[in-house]
Amino acid sequence: MERNELFCKGQFGYRKGLSTAHALIEITELILKAFESKDFAAVTFCDLSKAFDIVIHEILLKKMHHYNIRGRELRLMRTYLDNRVQYVVTEEATSISMPVKTGVPQGSVLGPLLFLIMIHDLYDNVPTDVIHFADDTTTVTRRSERNQSLIDSQNFQTCVENWLTANGLELNKNKTNTMLFSLRELAEHEKNNLQNF
């Protein structure tokens, strides 16, 4: 994936030489560009619900096939994902084993890579700047008009939500927030209108 430059340029999680600092710098630079253009930047911080735990294996395997992971390698990955179980051990007892039908194995070397493959094409399906750090997804919408930046940001959030739903993932709306950044002074009536968004 790295050698063939298949990961989107907006993904900063679990990649060599990249970190949360790089993702924050990218978001900051997009906001600064808005300041330089005297635009408004509506930044939406999306929270995904239990993203690593609810990855549907069949969807992930289809995406791997799309990225030319095929034949023996794809069969190996299917074996790795299928027939997993989980159970709880205490000092006195061990629970029964339950099948794990979704999710990527956490605490494994491959788990983060598999999740990056799963979420990769979200970047191509939202027509604005998208910055990822693993499952933390941020959109930045720059517009010259305040209301338009917020309206478009809401539309892009809907794009994110639609993509997540189509891919068996879920947006946590209660923890998803939009912040407006600008150097322009807001009139009092604009501040009141802003609170209504």
Side-chain angles (χ1 to χ4, degrees):
M1 294 292 290
E2 289 286 2
R3 184 167 54 246
N4 293 303
E5 299 180 353
L6 295 178
F7 287 128
C8 64
K9 67 184 182 81
Q11 177 59 264
F12 294 89
Y14 304 118
R15 297 179 64 198
K16 187 175 180 179
L18 298 174
S19 68
T20 51
H22 293 96
L24 289 171
I25 289 167
E26 181 72 13
I27 294 167
T28 303
E29 286 180 355
L30 290 169
I31 294 169
L32 290 175
K33 284 180 184 176
F35 289 173
E36 290 168 3
S37 303
K38 296 187 170 69
D39 286 341
F40 291 89
V43 182
T44 302
F45 303 94
C46 300
D47 184 75
L48 280 61
S49 296
K50 301 179 182 177
F52 283 76
D53 296 328
I54 61 174
V55 168
I56 297 171
H57 295 162
E58 279 306 313
I59 294 176
L60 173 59
L61 290 165
K62 284 178 183 174
K63 290 185 183 215
M64 294 173 80
H65 184 270
H66 174 76
Y67 296 122
N68 288 321
I69 301 170
R70 299 182 180 170
R72 181 172 47 188
E73 290 79 9
L74 189 62
R75 288 193 299 274
L76 178 65
M77 295 311 302
R78 180 180 291 280
T79 303
Y80 178 72
L81 291 168
D82 288 349
N83 302 316
R84 300 182 79 86
V85 296
Q86 64 184 7
Y87 57 92
V88 177
V89 178
T90 66
E91 291 179 9
E92 300 171 4
T94 300
S95 71
I96 61 169
S97 296
M98 298 294 290
V100 178
K101 296 182 178 179
T102 60
V104 293
Q106 295 188 50
S108 67
V109 173
L110 283 178
L113 171 63
L114 294 174
F115 186 78
L116 294 187
I117 293 170
M118 180 68 189
I119 201 167
H120 167 72
D121 60 303
L122 169 60
Y123 183 87
D124 296 324
N125 285 278
V126 180
T128 192
D129 292 303
V130 179
I131 299 93
H132 297 288
F133 189 85
D135 63 331
D136 291 325
T137 299
T138 303
T139 65
V140 181
T141 306
R142 293 179 291 146
R143 298 289 183 268
S144 59
E145 297 297 323
R146 176 185 57 81
N147 282 353
Q148 195 60 53
S149 67
L150 290 169
I151 289 167
D152 288 351
S153 179
Q154 183 62 49
N155 291 337
F156 298 141
Q157 181 181 326
T158 301
C159 289
V160 170
E161 188 173 5
N162 290 343
W163 183 93
L164 292 171
T165 301
N167 285 273
L169 300 172
E170 185 180 342
L171 182 70
N172 183 340
K173 291 184 180 179
N174 293 330
K175 292 185 177 179
T176 295
N177 294 298
T178 299
M179 294 179 68
L180 189 66
F181 294 86
S182 178
L183 293 180
R184 288 162 60 179
E185 188 69 35
L186 292 179
E188 197 60 41
H189 70 279
E190 289 180 307
K191 291 178 185 176
N192 293 334
N193 289 340
L194 186 59
Q195 291 173 353
N196 295 329
F197 259 93

